[in-house]
Amino acid sequence: MQHKILITGGAGFIGSHVVRRFLTNYPEYEIINIDKLSYAGNLENLQDVADMTNYTFIKGDIVDLQFLKKLFKKYKFTGLIHLAAESHVDRSISDPLEFIMTNMLGTANLLHVAQEYRKKNSGFLRFYHISTDEVYGSLGEKGLFTENTAYDPRSPYSASKAGSDHLVRAFYHTYNFPVVLSNCSNNYGPNQFPEKLIPLAINNIMLSKEIPVYGKGENIRDWLYVEDHAAAIDLIFHKGKPGETYNVGGNNEWKNLDLIKMLCKIMDQKLDRTEGTSERLIRFVKDRAGHDLRYAIDSSKIASELDWQPKLDFKTGLSETVNWYLKNQDWLDHILTGEYELYYDQQYSKR
Ligand code: NAD
Ligand code: DAU
């Protein structure tokens, strides 16, 4: 099949890995990446594939309905992978409306335009919505999120993602629109914006700056290497069943403090610093409001139905991630100016 796929948010962290994977694994496909290039969108993430003949980048906002209508008129899409979103929980606490606009209204616009387009174009086969495990709320010490866990979002970010998930499923039930969804755990890896825990800590350690750990560092996340997520997205796009949801996770739970300590050890070795140097940078700061205690995913459905497993073990993944940031100081330098400095001060100076 010769697909023409619209990828939204392809200049972001996960999106850029998905765009690269589809361009290189499926040279017969045409990939159109639309991205607003918010603070998190960065075309440097895709420099190595930008000139491929089967790739087109278009700057655009999914909140702009007219832009989407024109786009669907121009390109005969056969499928869509929707990653564009406001994605950082802390920013959603200080600016929730931006999250409602992009994550809910933006997704509603895409659904509406794609559904109208499909009425006249039977070639449109798939609307794939990428979501998060945060929609399920917070776990206690035991248990895992399954595809049947009731939604219980607790931050403006997760509530806006939950709202978008509901809209996507509503289009399936109401219009028989060919949707598929996945809800994934915490990703890490190259190209992640240094507002998220792992790249923020890597950057601070490189600069010998304090590492802010919220509360007592006891919150637990289930970490997955971004390319393992991209592999799951590839499988779900091609083989997932219409109307179905697939949970994707790393089976890799870490308390924040333990994770940071492991990262400190890895970085002391790589930076040739005496063991314990980076750990001394850890600083416990005021907790995140409504901080979810624990996320953990049951990935047995995607494992049994689509034969997906995470490939990279955490220590190797973390070590490769650190190598990438050490080698790509330019990428970081371009980010660590202007807006980032302002954000960092607002977020951390009063904690
Ligand atoms: P990111 O913030 O790195 O990238 C988001 C991209 O969307 C950016 O390139 C940004 O410019 C673009 N964007 C934002 N608003 C837009 C708009 N209105 N119109 C067009 N483009 C817009 O995010 P990420 O971490 O790569 O996450 C991608 C998707 O995966 C999101 O939907 C997120 O909810 C989901 N997800 C992320 C994780 C994770 O751990 N990072 C885990 C599970 C699910
Ligand atoms: O679970 C999937 C989600 O993972 C995605 O949907 C989100 O887009 C993504 O941002 C991520 O959300 P988290 O809030 O879990 O990720 P973050 O990296 O912001 O934080 C990870 C944990 O580390 C969390 O418990 C908060 C804590 N933390 C975070 C930062 C930025 C700190 O202790 N200090 C920090 O400075």
Side-chain angles (χ1 to χ4, degrees), residues 12-14 39-40 85-92 99 134 157 186-189 191-204 211-212 214 223 256 259-260 263 288 325 331-332 340 343-344 347-348:
F13 166 48
I14 302 171
Y39 76 93
E86 288 294 334
S87 70
H88 190 40
V89 174
D90 292 328
R91 287 187 196 248
S92 83
F99 285 67
E134 299 201 11
Y157 164 67
N186 285 63
N187 285 217
Y188 72 99
N191 307 94
Q192 188 168 30
F193 194 85
E195 63 188 350
K196 309 281 165 66
L197 180 68
I198 290 179
L200 185 140
I202 292 175
N203 182 50
N204 285 16
I211 310 163
Y214 296 167
W223 295 94
N256 291 340
L259 185 164
I260 293 299
L263 185 63
R288 174 183 278 174
Y325 281 92
W331 183 93
L332 265 177
Y340 183 79
Y343 165 80
Y344 198 91
Q347 205 51 242
Y348 293 100

Side-chain angles (χ1 to χ4, degrees), residues 23 76 139 206 215 238 315:
L23 283 172
K76 298 265 171 272
L139 289 164
M206 279 161 67
H238 289 101
K315 214 171 165 193

Side-chain angles (χ1 to χ4, degrees), residues 84-85 103 129-132 135 156-166:
N103 299 358
H129 177 63
I130 310 292
S131 193
T132 169
V135 297
Y157 164 67
S158 53
S160 66
K161 290 296 289 187
S164 66
D165 293 10
H166 288 319

Side-chain angles (χ1 to χ4, degrees), residues 70-191:
K70 281 187 204 142
L71 189 77
F72 272 80
K73 219 171 178 178
K74 178 162 181 191
Y75 293 95
K76 298 265 171 272
F77 295 121
T78 59
L80 190 161
I81 305 178
H82 175 35
L83 295 119
E86 288 294 334
S87 70
H88 190 40
V89 174
D90 292 328
R91 287 187 196 248
S92 83
I93 295 168
S94 33
D95 188 8
L97 292 186
E98 192 69 34
F99 285 67
I100 314 293
M101 292 299 284
T102 285
N103 299 358
M104 292 190 63
L105 184 57
T107 303
N109 282 345
L110 275 171
L111 282 164
H112 176 64
V113 173
Q115 150 70 4
E116 288 295 313
Y117 167 83
R118 182 174 165 263
K119 282 187 194 162
K120 295 172 219 126
N121 296 276
S122 56
F124 187 83
L125 302 172
R126 176 131 297 196
F127 185 107
Y128 179 7
H129 177 63
I130 310 292
S131 193
T132 169
D133 61 357
E134 299 201 11
V135 297
Y136 298 122
S138 182
L139 289 164
E141 275 172 24
K142 288 200 177 129
L144 299 171
F145 297 133
T146 74
E147 288 80 1
N148 298 319
T149 302
Y151 273 30
D152 183 22
R154 295 144 59 98
S155 73
Y157 164 67
S158 53
S160 66
K161 290 296 289 187
S164 66
D165 293 10
H166 288 319
L167 282 168
V168 173
R169 292 192 185 103
F171 269 64
Y172 172 72
H173 291 292
T174 309
Y175 307 110
N176 200 23
F177 191 54
V179 309
V180 67
L181 300 89
S182 57
N183 293 76
C184 187
S185 65
N186 285 63
N187 285 217
Y188 72 99
N191 307 94

